[in-house]
Structures are given as structure tokens and as C-alpha cells.
Amino acid sequence: MAENTHLQELESLRDAAIQELESIPDESGLEAWRVEYLGRSGKLTQVLRGVSTLPADARPVIGAAGNKVKVALEGRLGERQAAIVNARLDSLADDAIDISLPGRSLAVGRLHPSTIILREITEIFRGMGFQVVEGPEVELDRYNFEALNIPKDHPARDMFDTFWIDANKDAEGRFTTLLRTHTSPMQARIMEAHEPPIRVVVPGKVYRYEATDATHESQFYQVEGLAVDKGITFANLKHTLHEFARRMFGSERKMRFRCDYFPFVEPGVDVSIDCFNCDGTDSSCRICRGAGWLEIMGAGMVHPNVLRNVGYDPEVYSGFAFGMGPERIAMLKYGIEDVRLFYGNDMRFLRQF
Ligand code: FA5
């Protein structure tokens, strides 16, 4: 009687296991099924263990039937495993990649012309022994003007149309923070923090609240230069800038120095390069307007007051400084007729570099 019950129990276990197996979709499900039925504490193993408690004559019958179920379930498990693997291979074949198709090209980025020219400029000065440093674009009045010999209410402030930041005011209610109008504030910051000898160039963005035209933008780059040591003269400045122009434009371009006024240098000059576009022959030339020259920088000998403001003794130290416009230099070098192209984001222009 017990024998029959056990045989029925084995059969229904087998049927339930097989039914469950057929609906398992993947290999992790198969493993769970194997543990449930065939594992060490699995359902079939439990039944087989119970054989020892049966009467002696029933043991071989139930034992043999149990093993038969075990072999049958293992066989079905193998078949189901193969079916799942085959189904996966078939689906891979459906999505097959056609490796004979031509590849899709990725858009390659490129450097902005301002970046290209900035790198060229700084490399030239690096080659002449200058260090490259950078400074803040949001600047204090103290560095942008006062340390540079431009006190409050000095008329030279009109040279720099300023974007003020309305967050901070002094006791008299005047704004103290601005977007730097030139890179010259870094002269004062560098001299405050270091003793001579100093030879640095400072590339960076500057901002001016002014109307734009073919040679004027309201946001542009400058590269400041500063050399301070004992015995620096105007001849050192001229030689350095001539050497820069030779390396940047080649020896066929001409450089012109004219007296100019900047409160932070004495004497001061502006420096121009002859116009690539018209050689001064076209009064309607968009670049030089017929002048034959394009101004690329201001320069001069650091004013004694600026040296004093940072705690240097002007009787001991002297220096030269310059501030150039990289976009204007790129215009001359690459024949670009309008500075506004640099920030116009016109891909037809940008793709040419
Ligand atoms: C200055 O900014 C002085 N800080 C330069 C200087 C430094 C003089 C050290 C003496 C000693 P200026 O405003 O001239 O000077 O500008 C310098 C250069 O920046 C110009 O020669 C020109 O090349 C470029 N520049 C000036 N304004 C613009 C503008 N609106 N758009 C594009 N480039 C400009």
C-alpha cells in the first residue's frame, strides 16, 4: 500500500517538475528549478532519502522508480537548456551586424581660432623665457584701475567702458567690482605676490561696454606681458616685441611704434602691424580704413607709481609691460576682415580653422 502511495507521489512530482520546466525562459530559472527538484535538499532527493524508512521489500521498487524519475528530470533539464541556448543564438542571427556596411564618421571637434592664436602667442613668449599665468575675469576696481595709477574720477577711466557688477559698493556708494576691462590688473597682482625678476605673459578674456564694429568687440582676449628687473630699458621692450612680430608674422611684416598714453606706463606706445589686406592703398579697407596699419597692442615702461603701489622701489627696479589683442593678431595673420566673426558662432567661419 505504502509502495503505491510512494509511486504515485514520485509520478506527480515528475509531472509537476516537467510542466514547470517547460515554461522556464532562461538559464537562471533553470538553475533555480534544478535546486528545487534535484538539489541536495530538493524535492526528489527528499523522496529518495525516505526510501530507507520503507519496508525492506518496497525499498528496491521505490528506489528504482525514484532513480528513473531523477534520470528523466536530468534529461529534460539538458534538453531545455539546449533549447534556451539555441533560441538565444537564433535571435542573435536575426539582429546580425553587417560588417560590410561603411562606417559612420564621427564629427571631429576643432580648436577655436582664438585658442589657436593664444597658444601661438604664449608659445612664442615661453620660448623667450616668459612664464604663462592666468587671473580672474571678475576683478576689483583696486586692481583694474587704482593699482594701475588710475584713481577714482581719473579721466582715463573713460578709456575703458566698464561693465560694473552691482553686488558690492564702497562707503561712498560706488561699485567696487567689475568685469576686467584689460589684463593689466594682473600686473599688480603678480608684482604684489612675487619679487623681481618677473617675466610673465597673461592670456585671458576681457570685457568692454562698447559698440561693436569690424575691429571692436565687447568681449575679446588680451595677452598681457610684464618684465621687471634691475636695468630693464625701453630697448628691451622694443627688441622683445620685434622678435615676437618676426616669429608671429614673418620678417616681411612691418611694426610701428607711436607715442600713446596709458596712465600705468611712462613712456607709453601703441604698436601696429602693416595692413595685410590693402597695404594702405584702399581708403575703404575694412581692417585699416586706409591707414595701412592695424593697432595690435599698447605697451610701455611700467610707471614708477605702479611699482610703488606694489611695494617695489622704482630707483632699483624698472620694467616694461604690454597688452595685445589676439583676435586682431589673428585677423592680420589669417586675413579675417571682421572681429565679430570670432564670437558669431558661424560654423562656416569656424570650420576653416
Ligand atoms: C589696454 O587695454 C592696455 N591695458 C594695454 C597696455 C598694457 C598698455 C600694458 C600698456 C601697458 P587698449 O585698450 O589699447 O590697451 O587695448 C590693447 C589691445 O587690445 C588693442 O591694441 C587691441 O589689439 C585690443 N583691443 C582693444 N579693444 C578691443 C576691442 N574692442 N575688440 C578687440 N580687440 C580690442
Side-chain angles (χ1 to χ4, degrees):
M1 190 62 215
E3 204 178 293
N4 281 344
T5 316
H6 272 92
L7 284 174
Q8 271 169 13
E9 202 185 327
L10 275 169
E11 272 172 28
S12 51
L13 183 67
R14 183 197 60 204
D15 294 346
I18 288 172
Q19 198 182 8
E20 206 179 300
L21 183 65
E22 292 311 316
S23 62
I24 292 177
D26 54 27
E27 276 138 326
S28 62
L30 289 183
E31 177 57 14
W33 179 92
R34 190 193 64 73
V35 170
E36 185 186 344
Y37 290 99
L38 301 171
R40 274 158 159 245
S41 325
K43 289 177 181 164
L44 182 62
T45 317
Q46 302 281 352
V47 174
L48 291 175
R49 282 213 188 105
V51 167
S52 58
T53 61
L54 294 174
D57 56 341
R59 281 183 216 157
V61 183
I62 302 301
N67 276 328
K68 223 167 126 189
V69 171
K70 187 171 181 224
V71 170
L73 290 187
E74 282 171 348
R76 288 298 189 105
L77 175 64
E79 283 165 23
R80 186 77 194 119
Q81 248 160 354
I84 288 174
V85 170
N86 284 338
R88 203 174 52 235
L89 289 176
D90 285 349
S91 80
L92 277 181
D94 287 345
D95 314 334
I97 298 165
D98 181 354
I99 56 166
S100 66
L101 279 175
R104 266 181 229 131
S105 58
L106 292 173
V108 179
R110 60 190 72 227
L111 293 178
H112 190 278
S114 299
T115 308
I116 296 173
I117 203 76
L118 278 171
R119 289 191 184 178
E120 270 191 66
I121 295 170
T122 50
E123 256 335 283
I124 290 174
F125 283 106
R126 236 194 270 267
M128 291 199 260
F130 285 73
Q131 272 180 291
V132 180
V133 293
E134 290 183 49
E137 290 175 25
V138 176
E139 187 51 282
L140 296 173
D141 181 295
R142 186 157 86 79
Y143 289 107
N144 198 83
F145 292 126
E146 283 182 56
L148 296 175
N149 203 25
I150 316 177
K152 300 223 161 49
D153 303 322
H154 191 291
R157 288 189 176 219
D158 295 344
M159 291 164 70
F160 303 100
D161 304 290
T162 307
F163 285 110
W164 293 96
I165 290 174
D166 60 7
N168 309 308
K169 288 184 182 170
D170 64 12
E172 281 100 57
R174 286 190 279 215
F175 297 131
T176 55
T177 322
L178 45 82
L179 292 183
R180 67 178 172 192
T181 57
H182 51 171
T183 41
S184 300
M186 279 302 285
Q187 290 184 29
R189 284 185 178 272
I190 290 161
M191 288 192 280
E192 249 182 22
H194 300 278
E195 289 298 311
I198 288 171
R199 277 170 186 71
V200 290
V201 284
V202 186
K205 271 211 186 103
V206 303
Y207 303 86
R208 292 195 193 165
Y209 183 49
E210 63 184 15
T212 63
D213 62 25
T215 53
H216 293 84
E217 252 295 5
S218 51
Q219 163 193 312
F220 54 101
Y221 277 98
Q222 282 192 341
V223 178
E224 193 77 9
L226 176 70
V228 186
D229 205 345
K230 289 179 181 158
I232 298 243
T233 68
F234 197 84
N236 298 127
L237 170 63
K238 275 189 90 174
H239 169 78
T240 305
L241 295 182
H242 270 297
E243 186 55 25
F244 164 73
R246 192 182 66 76
R247 294 189 195 186
M248 175 58 76
F249 300 110
S251 33
E252 65 277 10
R253 292 254 80 88
K254 291 200 271 306
M255 193 174 220
R256 183 184 73 177
F257 287 74
R258 281 191 317 183
C259 284
D260 201 352
Y261 172 69
F262 299 96
F264 33 95
V265 286
E266 183 57 38
V269 289
D270 67 52
V271 181
S272 305
I273 298 286
D274 62 329
C275 179
F276 71 91
N277 199 34
C278 74
D279 290 323
T281 56
D282 176 5
S283 60
S284 61
C285 172
R286 293 190 70 195
I287 292 186
C288 72
R289 297 193 188 92
W293 300 92
L294 183 66
E295 183 201 303
I296 58 161
M297 69 177 106
M301 300 303 291
V302 181
H303 197 289
N305 287 350
V306 175
L307 296 174
R308 268 187 221 105
N309 284 344
V310 294
Y312 288 5
D313 182 351
E315 298 299 321
V316 179
Y317 293 111
S318 57
F320 67 70
F322 55 83
M324 61 177 72
E327 284 91 0
R328 297 251 185 108
I329 290 170
M331 287 169 78
L332 283 166
K333 194 158 170 156
Y334 302 125
I336 300 164
E337 289 200 347
D338 197 317
V339 72
R340 289 167 292 195
L341 285 165
F342 284 86
Y343 301 103
N345 280 338
D346 184 337
M347 291 303 285
R348 291 167 302 179
F349 170 70
L350 297 173
R351 281 207 187 96
Q352 294 176 42
F353 295 90

